[in-house]
Amino acid sequence: MDIAEFDHHTDIPGTTIFDGEMAMKGYALNKMCYSFNNKDAREEYLRDPEAYFDRFGLNEEQKQACRDKNVLAMIAAGGNIYYLAKFAGIYKLSVQDVGAQQTGMTTEEFKAKLIRAGD
């Protein structure tokens, strides 16, 4: 297949591709999540998440995704999984928790699937 023929937005069903457009869309969200590298920033966020959202200029879609701790919604709102991992860490969401969200399973179902795949 010629690379010019590849429509990366529709050729991978159920997958949000993080490209330049998504980077622009998610800039504020990713910038906020990057700030969580700093312990003081994490503590400030936990004291008043709404003020922290406003500080970074999140739009309502991004704010609601964060309120819901919904990683898939954050990705759809332009979030990059590498930055979102910082957000997930604040709430002690494991990689399995995020994987479960991505597959529509409970965390326990997702863990069981991983164990079965390893057999």
Side-chain angles (χ1 to χ4, degrees), residues 43-88:
E43 291 171 354
E44 180 182 346
Y45 169 82
L46 288 171
R47 279 192 300 274
D48 190 350
E50 295 298 321
Y52 211 76
F53 298 155
D54 291 339
R55 175 179 167 196
F56 283 89
L58 272 62
N59 63 36
E60 188 54 39
E61 177 188 14
Q62 293 165 338
K63 289 177 183 181
Q64 192 58 52
C66 291
R67 289 179 195 118
D68 294 341
K69 300 173 192 71
N70 184 327
V71 174
L72 287 181
M74 288 182 228
I75 290 171
N80 180 294
I81 192 63
Y82 296 105
Y83 295 119
L84 297 179
K86 300 294 182 187
F87 177 88

Side-chain angles (χ1 to χ4, degrees), residues 7-46:
D7 181 353
H8 62 277
H9 292 285
T10 59
D11 286 355
I12 308 171
T15 301
T16 302
I17 303 298
F18 189 80
D19 58 9
E21 183 179 329
M22 290 301 282
M24 293 297 294
K25 179 179 180 181
Y27 180 77
L29 175 60
N30 293 318
K31 186 174 179 180
M32 179 189 77
C33 290
Y34 180 80
S35 77
F36 298 144
N37 283 313
N38 180 294
K39 182 180 182 219
D40 292 339
R42 295 190 298 270
E43 291 171 354
E44 180 182 346
Y45 169 82
L46 288 171

Side-chain angles (χ1 to χ4, degrees), residues 89-101:
I90 289 173
Y91 290 103
K92 309 292 189 247
L93 296 174
S94 70
V95 173
Q96 289 85 8
D97 293 323
V98 174
Q101 282 188 21

